[in-house]
Amino acid sequence: MSKFKERLGKLSPKKRLYALETLPGHLAQSVQGERLHQLLTDFDFIEAKLDAVGVQELIEDYDLARVSDVLLSEGQGESLGLIQGAIRKSAHVLDRDKTELVGQLLGRLLDFEMTDIQGLLEQAKQSKNSLWLRPLRANLERANEGALRTLVGHTDGVWAVAIAPDGKTAISASEDNTLKIWDTASGRQLRTLIGHTDPVTAVAIAPDGKRAISASWDNTLKIWDTDSGRELRTLIGHTDSVSAVTIAPDSKTVISASCDNTLKIWDTDSGRELLTLIGHTDSVWGVAIAPDGKRAISASEDNTLKIWDIESGRELTTLIGHTNYVSAVAIAPDGKTAISASDDNTIKIWDIDTGIQLRALTDYTLWVLAVAIAPDGKTAIFASRDNTLKIWDIHGGRKLTTLIGHNDEVKAVAIAPDGKTTISASNDSNLKIWDIDSDRELRTIAGNIREVYAVAIAPDGKTAISASRDRTLKIWDTDSGRELRTLTGHTDMVSAVAIAPDGKRAISGSWDKTLKIWDIDSGRKLRTLTSHTQQVWGVAIAPDSKTAISASGDKTLKVWDIDSGRKLRTLIGHTQEVFAVAISPDGLIAISASGDYNLLASADNTLKIWDINSGRELITLTGHTHSVTAVAIAPDGKQAISASRDNTLKIWDIDSGSEFRTLTGHTQGVYAVAITPDGKLAISASDDKTVKIWDLLSGKEIASFSGDGGFACCAIAADGVTVVAGDRSGRVHFLRLEGVKQLTVDS
C-alpha cells in the first residue's frame, strides 16, 4: 500500500473526495513539481481519482504538471505525458468499466523502460486481488502512437463528421439514423439528435456555429439547433437519398447533393427550395462551396465534377478526367483550387477558374471516400476504404504520413479550424481524434497487417499460429510474443487454423477454397486439400491427429485423412454456410455451427451433432437468433458452448441436445469461444472489442479485456492460463489469466 492510499484511507468520504479533486492543483500552484510527479505516477492515486471523479478529470491533472512553472525534468515530463496518453487513449474503455484500468495501462505502457512507469505498472499488478486478464506484451496501441482519443457511442457505422467553427464541438452522422454532438476536448457525448428514419449520410455546421444541417437516406435534410439539439425544420424535395450537404459562408444558403442526380439550393431561414441544379447523369456524391460563396463544385457517379454559379444555378464548367465515379470534392481556402477523389484510384487537383487539371496524385492506390484540406491550404487528408487516413503535401504531391487505427473503412474526415486536430469517422462505429500538428511517430503494426481471423496454441503451449486476411499464417513464440515464421501459400484470406494434438502439424483453411497441411517445425507446406466449392471457414483435428474436419461456405463439412490428404466423407445437412466445427475428446462426434455471412439474420442459425465414422446427423441444436460462428466442446465431452452473431453464447447438453444456459454480456457479435482444460471457465471473443472470461458453473462474466479492435478469435493453452486472441486491427494479443487460484478458493 502506498503512503497516499494509507493517508487517503484515514479521511472521511467528503474529505477524501476533496483531496482527490484539489491536491494536484494545489501542488501545481505551489510549484511542488517533485511531489506532483510522485502523485501522478502513484497507481493508488490514479485508481482512486478515476473511481471517485472520472477519467477526464484525471487526464486534466497531467496537464497541470506540464506547465513550465512546475519545473519537472525532461524525463519526468515524458513519463507523465505517456501515462496521460495511455489513460486518454483508453478513456472510452474506462468510462464503461473502471476495473480495466490495470490491463489498459499494461497494454499501452509495458514497452517503456522508464523507472517510474515500470514502478507504476508493478504497483498496478499488485493491486489486483480478483481474476483478470494480464497483457504479457504491449499489444494495445502505445501511449505515444496513433489517435489521441476514440469517441464511442454510435451503434452502427459513422458516415460523416463536422467540427464547429470554435473547434470545441463536433457533430457526427451515422448509419444508426442519429447524429451525436461531442465535446472535442473531453470526448464526451453531449447529446443525440433523433429524427431521421434512415441512415444519416452527411452533416454540416453553419459558420455562425448555431445550426447544423444533416442529410439522410430518408430523402430529407434536417436543420438543428446545435445548443439545444432541437430539430428546427425538415427540408423536403429530393426524390432519392441525400448524399452530401454544405453551407455557404453567410450561413443562409445550403446546397445538397442527391442520388436523384440533382443538387438543390435551400434558404436555411425559411427552409424553402430556391433552385435545382440539373446536369449530372448519375448520383451526386459530394458538393463544396467556395469561400466567396459564389460558386459550388459537385462530384458525381457520372465520372465528372461540375462547377456551378450559386446565385443563378447555372452550370459553368464540367471537369473531365476521372475514369470512374467521383466520390468526394473539397475546395482550398484560397478558393483557387479543388481536390477530387475517385474510384479510379486517383486524386486530382483542379484550377477552379480554368477547369484545368493541375496535378494527379497517383501513388494512392485505394478508394478514397472523403477529403479535407487544412486551413493553411498546404496539406490535405484523405479518408480511405483501407481503414486509414493519409496526409499529403498538396503542392509537392508527396504523401507525408499515414494514420492507422480504425478497424473498418474511414468514411469521413474533418480538420479543426486551428489546423492542429482532425477527427475521422469510420464504418467501425467510432470516431477518432488525431493530433496532426505533432511529430509523434504513428503506429506501424508488427506482424499481420489485416484482420486476424483464427488462432491456435500448440499442445506444449510454447507456440501459437495465427491466420490472417493478408493470406498468411504466422507462428509465434508465446513467451516472448516474437514472430518466428510466416507461412505463405494461400491465395486468399486465411480464415481457420488448427494444430494437431501431437504438435507436429497444423491445418489451415482459406477463402481460396482449400486447406493446407503444414509442418510446424520447418514451416514447410506438406499438402493441399481440395474439394470444397466455397471458402473454408473452420477446421478441427481429431485427438488421434489422423483425421480432420473442415467447415465451408458450400454448406458442407468434409472429413479428411491427414496423412494421405484423402477426403473420407462429406457431411450434408446444413442449409447455409458452416462457420465452425469441433470434435469431441473421444473423437467420435463432431458439432458444427451454421449461419449466413451476408444477411442480418438467416434461416439456419443452428448447430448439428454428427457421428464422425458414419457421417450421420444425430441432433440439431436450435435457439440462436443469428448466425452461429463458433463452437467448443468441454473436456468431459458432455457439454458444448456456441458463439453467435446474436451477441450471446449458449451452453448445450450434448446427449440430449437441450440448451442449458445463455451467457449474455457482449454487445456485438461473438466470433470465438474456448474452454479451459479443467472445464470450469470459457473465454469468448467479440466484435465489441472485448475478450471475456465466464464461470461456466454460474454463467457469470468474471473478467474482461478490451482491445483497440474487434476480436475475431481466441484460444487457451493447456496450462489453463495463457490466452491468445487476434483482433481485426491485425494484432495478436498474449494474455495471462491471473487470480485463478483465488477464484478456486473463493468458490
Side-chain angles (χ1 to χ4, degrees):
M1 179 187 295
S2 69
K3 292 181 180 179
F4 174 80
K5 189 171 185 178
E6 187 177 348
R7 291 197 299 268
L8 204 62
K10 297 177 181 179
L11 299 176
S12 66
K14 186 175 181 180
K15 289 183 177 179
R16 174 188 170 95
L17 179 61
Y18 179 77
L20 290 169
E21 288 178 334
T22 62
L23 183 56
H26 168 72
L27 294 176
Q29 289 173 1
S30 55
V31 201
Q32 298 184 62
E34 190 59 41
R35 285 191 61 194
L36 182 59
H37 174 261
Q38 290 175 0
L39 184 72
L40 296 179
T41 54
D42 187 326
F43 176 77
D44 289 333
F45 166 76
I46 294 170
E47 183 180 47
K49 179 109 185 194
L50 173 67
D51 187 57
V53 183
V55 67
Q56 183 57 28
E57 289 75 5
L58 175 61
I59 291 169
E60 291 169 0
D61 284 342
Y62 291 84
D63 289 329
L64 294 172
R66 296 170 70 181
V67 299
S68 58
D69 290 344
V70 176
L71 300 176
L72 293 173
S73 71
E74 184 177 343
Q76 288 175 329
E78 183 182 2
S79 294
L80 294 184
L82 290 169
I83 296 168
Q84 181 190 43
I87 296 169
R88 183 170 50 213
K89 290 174 81 68
S90 296
H92 61 292
V93 175
L94 301 175
D95 275 335
R96 183 188 68 237
D97 186 357
K98 294 180 175 65
T99 66
E100 289 209 45
L101 174 63
V102 178
Q104 292 293 302
L105 290 176
L106 286 166
R108 301 195 192 281
L109 294 172
L110 265 174
D111 283 348
F112 298 100
E113 298 297 331
M114 294 94 152
T115 301
D116 44 9
I117 286 183
Q118 291 301 314
L120 167 69
L121 298 183
E122 187 58 36
Q123 188 186 1
K125 287 189 287 185
Q126 296 301 322
S127 74
K128 298 292 287 187
N129 56 11
S130 60
L131 189 140
W132 63 293
L133 284 164
R134 175 168 68 89
L136 299 176
R137 301 287 169 265
N139 282 122
L140 295 179
E141 195 172 70
R142 300 201 318 173
N144 62 342
E145 298 170 342
L148 296 174
R149 188 189 294 272
T150 300
L151 309 183
V152 175
H154 283 295
T155 57
D156 216 327
V158 190
W159 288 4
V161 62
I163 301 175
D166 62 8
K168 294 180 179 179
T169 57
I171 303 181
S172 56
S174 170
E175 193 176 357
D176 66 12
N177 301 0
T178 73
L179 299 105
K180 290 183 182 290
I181 302 179
W182 308 86
D183 181 290
T184 55
S186 68
R188 286 194 181 115
Q189 180 183 317
L190 302 177
R191 60 183 55 89
T192 299
L193 312 183
I194 299 173
H196 284 294
T197 57
D198 270 314
V200 191
T201 54
V203 62
I205 300 175
D208 61 14
K210 296 179 180 179
R211 290 176 292 183
I213 302 183
S214 57
S216 170
W217 275 11
D218 65 13
N219 301 0
T220 73
L221 299 106
K222 289 183 182 290
I223 302 177
W224 308 85
D225 180 283
T226 54
D227 288 331
S228 66
R230 185 167 57 93
E231 180 186 326
L232 301 175
R233 185 171 289 110
T234 297
L235 311 183
I236 299 173
H238 283 294
T239 58
D240 206 334
S241 301
V242 190
S243 51
V245 64
T246 185
I247 303 176
D250 63 5
S251 296
K252 297 179 179 180
T253 305
V254 166
I255 304 181
S256 57
S258 171
C259 291
D260 65 10
N261 305 355
T262 73
L263 299 105
K264 289 183 182 291
I265 302 178
W266 310 81
D267 176 80
T268 56
D269 291 330
S270 65
R272 187 166 57 92
E273 178 187 324
L274 302 176
L275 292 167
T276 297
L277 311 184
I278 299 173
H280 283 295
T281 58
D282 212 328
S283 298
V284 190
W285 291 111
V287 62
I289 297 176
D292 62 9
K294 296 179 179 179
R295 291 177 293 182
I297 303 182
S298 55
S300 171
E301 196 162 350
D302 65 12
N303 304 356
T304 73
L305 298 107
K306 290 182 182 291
I307 302 177
W308 308 85
D309 178 84
I310 293 177
E311 187 175 358
S312 67
R314 185 168 56 92
E315 179 186 324
L316 301 176
T317 312
T318 297
L319 309 183
I320 299 173
H322 284 296
T323 58
N324 209 329
Y325 75 82
V326 191
S327 53
V329 63
I331 299 175
D334 63 7
K336 296 179 180 179
T337 56
I339 300 180
S340 60
S342 168
D343 198 32
D344 64 10
N345 296 341
T346 69
I347 294 156
K348 294 184 184 295
I349 302 175
W350 308 85
D351 181 290
I352 294 177
D353 289 330
T354 64
I356 294 173
Q357 178 185 319
L358 301 176
R359 183 180 296 113
L361 309 181
T362 55
D363 70 337
Y364 197 98
T365 58
L366 290 167
W367 185 13
V368 179
L369 299 175
V371 58
I373 301 175
D376 63 8
K378 296 178 180 179
T379 57
I381 303 181
F382 304 109
S384 172
R385 198 174 185 178
D386 71 354
N387 306 356
T388 72
L389 298 108
K390 289 182 167 57
I391 303 178
W392 283 74
D393 171 4
I394 297 174
H395 300 299
R398 183 170 58 95
K399 184 174 67 177
L400 301 175
T401 192
T402 299
L403 308 182
I404 300 172
H406 281 294
N407 301 302
D408 206 334
E409 60 186 37
V410 188
K411 307 278 279 190
V413 60
I415 301 175
D418 63 8
K420 297 178 179 180
T421 304
T422 190
I423 302 180
S424 56
S426 169
N427 223 34
D428 65 12
S429 305
N430 299 330
L431 299 107
K432 287 184 181 288
I433 300 178
W434 309 81
D435 176 9
I436 56 174
D437 191 46
S438 76
D439 294 325
R440 293 180 310 120
E441 176 144 349
L442 297 157
R443 177 178 61 82
T444 300
I445 300 172
N448 293 306
I449 58 171
R450 301 298 294 272
E451 293 96 324
V452 180
Y453 281 143
V455 65
I457 303 176
D460 63 7
K462 295 180 179 179
T463 56
I465 303 181
S466 60
S468 170
R469 188 171 182 171
D470 69 3
R471 306 180 183 184
T472 72
L473 297 107
K474 291 185 182 293
I475 302 178
W476 306 84
D477 180 282
T478 54
D479 287 333
S480 66
R482 186 166 57 92
E483 180 188 321
L484 302 176
R485 186 175 291 113
T486 297
L487 310 182
T488 60
H490 283 295
T491 58
D492 207 334
M493 63 180 74
V494 191
S495 44
V497 64
I499 299 175
D502 63 13
K504 296 178 180 179
R505 292 175 293 186
I507 303 181
S508 57
S510 168
W511 276 39
D512 65 13
K513 306 175 188 176
T514 73
L515 297 108
K516 292 184 184 292
I517 303 177
W518 309 85
D519 178 84
I520 294 177
D521 286 335
S522 67
R524 186 167 57 94
K525 182 179 67 177
L526 301 176
R527 97 179 18 91
T528 298
L529 311 182
T530 59
S531 182
H532 283 296
T533 58
Q534 292 293 329
Q535 66 266 41
V536 182
W537 281 112
V539 63
I541 302 175
D544 63 6
S545 297
K546 295 180 180 180
T547 307
I549 304 179
S550 55
S552 171
D554 64 13
K555 307 178 186 178
T556 73
L557 298 108
K558 292 184 185 290
V559 184
W560 307 86
D561 178 274
I562 295 176
D563 290 330
S564 66
R566 185 168 57 93
K567 183 186 71 176
L568 301 176
R569 63 186 57 87
T570 299
L571 310 184
I572 299 173
H574 283 294
T575 59
Q576 287 176 312
E577 296 175 81
V578 191
F579 289 126
V581 60
I583 299 175
S584 63
D586 61 13
L588 298 177
I589 65 167
I591 303 180
S592 56
S594 176
D596 191 289
Y597 179 71
N598 295 309
L599 298 181
L600 293 175
S602 59
D604 187 359
N605 304 325
T606 70
L607 299 106
K608 289 183 183 290
I609 302 177
W610 307 83
D611 180 286
I612 295 176
N613 291 325
S614 67
R616 185 166 56 93
E617 179 187 325
L618 302 176
I619 304 172
T620 296
L621 312 181
T622 60
H624 282 295
T625 58
H626 211 316
S627 298
V628 191
T629 55
V631 60
I633 300 176
D636 63 8
K638 295 180 180 180
Q639 290 183 325
I641 304 181
S642 57
S644 171
R645 286 172 70 183
D646 66 11
N647 305 357
T648 73
L649 299 106
K650 290 183 182 289
I651 304 176
W652 307 86
D653 179 84
I654 293 177
D655 288 336
S656 66
S658 59
E659 180 186 325
F660 176 67
R661 177 177 284 121
T662 298
L663 310 182
T664 59
H666 283 296
T667 57
Q668 292 189 45
V670 191
Y671 285 89
V673 61
I675 303 173
T676 54
D678 62 9
K680 294 180 179 179
L681 303 174
I683 177 171
S684 58
S686 170
D687 244 356
D688 66 10
K689 302 183 182 179
T690 69
V691 171
K692 293 185 182 293
I693 304 294
W694 307 85
D695 177 0
L696 295 182
L697 185 62
S698 66
K700 292 181 179 178
E701 174 192 331
I702 53 177
S704 183
F705 174 78
S706 293
D708 292 318
F711 284 97
C713 55
C714 62
I716 191 156
D719 63 9
V721 294
T722 302
V723 174
V724 180
D727 72 23
R728 300 194 188 281
S729 69
R731 295 181 184 87
V732 177
H733 297 257
F734 297 90
L735 307 164
R736 181 178 174 86
L737 194 55
E738 301 283 11
V740 174
K741 291 182 180 179
Q742 181 64 39
L743 178 69
T744 304
V745 170
D746 292 343
S747 60

